[in-house]
Coordinates of all heavy atoms in Angstrom, one line a residue:
A392 N -31.9 88.8 -79.7 CA -31.6 88.7 -81.1 C -32.5 89.7 -81.9 O -32.1 90.3 -82.9 CB -31.9 87.3 -81.6
F393 N -33.7 89.9 -81.5 CA -34.7 90.8 -82.2 C -34.3 92.3 -82.0 O -34.0 93.0 -83.0 CB -36.1 90.5 -81.6 CG -37.1 91.5 -82.1 CD1 -37.4 91.6 -83.5 CD2 -37.9 92.3 -81.3 CE1 -38.4 92.4 -84.0 CE2 -38.8 93.2 -81.8 CZ -39.1 93.2 -83.1
F394 N -34.2 92.7 -80.7 CA -34.0 94.1 -80.5 C -32.5 94.6 -80.7 O -32.3 95.8 -80.9 CB -34.5 94.5 -79.1 CG -36.0 94.6 -79.0 CD1 -36.8 93.7 -78.3 CD2 -36.6 95.5 -79.8 CE1 -38.2 93.8 -78.2 CE2 -38.0 95.6 -79.8 CZ -38.8 94.8 -79.0
V395 N -31.6 93.7 -80.6 CA -30.2 94.1 -80.9 C -30.2 94.4 -82.4 O -29.6 95.4 -82.8 CB -29.2 92.9 -80.6 CG1 -27.9 93.1 -81.4 CG2 -29.0 92.9 -79.1
T396 N -30.9 93.6 -83.3 CA -30.9 94.0 -84.7 C -31.6 95.3 -84.9 O -31.1 96.1 -85.7 CB -31.7 92.8 -85.4 OG1 -31.0 91.6 -85.2 CG2 -31.7 93.1 -86.9
V397 N -32.8 95.5 -84.3 CA -33.5 96.7 -84.4 C -32.7 97.9 -83.9 O -32.6 98.9 -84.6 CB -34.9 96.6 -83.7 CG1 -35.6 98.0 -83.7 CG2 -35.7 95.6 -84.3
S398 N -32.1 97.8 -82.7 CA -31.3 98.8 -82.1 C -30.1 99.2 -83.1 O -29.9 100.4 -83.3 CB -30.8 98.5 -80.8 OG -30.0 99.4 -80.2
S399 N -29.5 98.2 -83.6 CA -28.3 98.5 -84.4 C -28.7 99.2 -85.7 O -27.9 100.0 -86.2 CB -27.6 97.2 -84.8 OG -27.2 96.5 -83.6
R400 N -29.8 98.9 -86.2 CA -30.3 99.6 -87.5 C -30.8 101.0 -87.1 O -30.6 102.0 -87.9 CB -31.4 98.8 -88.1 CG -31.8 99.4 -89.5 CD -32.6 98.4 -90.3 NE -31.8 97.4 -90.8 CZ -31.2 97.5 -92.0 NH1 -31.3 98.6 -92.7 NH2 -30.5 96.5 -92.5
I401 N -31.5 101.2 -86.0 CA -32.0 102.5 -85.6 C -30.9 103.5 -85.4 O -30.9 104.6 -86.0 CB -32.8 102.4 -84.3 CG1 -34.2 101.7 -84.5 CG2 -33.1 103.8 -83.7 CD1 -34.9 101.5 -83.2
V402 N -29.8 103.1 -84.7 CA -28.7 104.0 -84.5 C -28.0 104.3 -85.7 O -27.3 105.4 -85.8 CB -27.8 103.5 -83.4 CG1 -28.5 103.3 -82.0 CG2 -27.1 102.2 -83.8
G403 N -28.1 103.4 -86.7 CA -27.5 103.7 -88.0 C -28.2 104.9 -88.7 O -27.6 105.6 -89.5
L404 N -29.5 105.1 -88.4 CA -30.2 106.2 -89.0 C -30.2 107.5 -88.2 O -30.0 108.5 -88.7 CB -31.7 105.8 -89.2 CG -32.0 104.6 -90.1 CD1 -33.4 104.2 -90.0 CD2 -31.7 105.1 -91.6
I405 N -30.4 107.4 -86.9 CA -30.6 108.6 -86.1 C -29.6 108.8 -85.0 O -29.6 109.8 -84.3 CB -32.0 108.6 -85.5 CG1 -32.2 107.4 -84.5 CG2 -33.1 108.6 -86.6 CD1 -33.4 107.5 -83.7
G406 N -28.7 107.8 -84.8 CA -27.7 108.0 -83.8 C -28.1 107.4 -82.4 O -29.2 107.2 -82.1
S407 N -27.0 107.0 -81.6 CA -27.3 106.4 -80.4 C -28.0 107.4 -79.4 O -28.7 106.9 -78.5 CB -26.0 106.0 -79.7 OG -25.3 105.0 -80.6
S408 N -27.8 108.7 -79.5 CA -28.4 109.6 -78.6 C -29.9 109.6 -78.6 O -30.6 109.9 -77.7 CB -27.8 111.0 -78.9 OG -26.4 111.1 -78.8
N409 N -30.4 109.2 -79.8 CA -31.9 109.2 -79.9 C -32.4 107.8 -80.1 O -33.6 107.6 -80.5 CB -32.3 110.0 -81.2 CG -31.8 111.5 -81.1 OD1 -32.2 112.2 -80.2 ND2 -30.9 111.9 -82.0
N410 N -31.6 106.8 -79.7 CA -32.1 105.4 -79.8 C -33.3 105.2 -78.8 O -33.1 105.4 -77.5 CB -30.9 104.5 -79.4 CG -31.2 103.0 -79.8 OD1 -32.3 102.7 -80.3 ND2 -30.3 102.2 -79.5
P411 N -34.4 104.8 -79.2 CA -35.6 104.7 -78.3 C -35.5 103.4 -77.5 O -36.4 102.5 -77.6 CB -36.8 104.7 -79.3 CG -36.2 104.0 -80.5 CD -34.8 104.5 -80.6
I412 N -34.5 103.3 -76.6 CA -34.3 102.1 -75.8 C -35.5 101.8 -74.9 O -36.0 100.7 -74.7 CB -33.1 102.2 -75.0 CG1 -31.8 102.3 -75.9 CG2 -32.9 101.1 -74.0 CD1 -31.6 101.1 -76.7
S413 N -36.1 102.9 -74.4 CA -37.3 102.8 -73.5 C -38.4 102.0 -74.2 O -39.1 101.2 -73.7 CB -37.7 104.1 -73.0 OG -36.8 104.7 -72.2
G414 N -38.7 102.5 -75.5 CA -39.7 101.8 -76.3 C -39.5 100.3 -76.5 O -40.4 99.5 -76.4

Side-chain angles (χ1 to χ4, degrees):
F393 173 61
F394 282 117
V395 162
T396 303
V397 174
S398 176
S399 299
R400 185 166 285 272
I401 287 176
V402 300
L404 292 171
I405 63 172
S407 299
S408 300
N409 300 300
N410 193 3
I412 296 297
S413 297

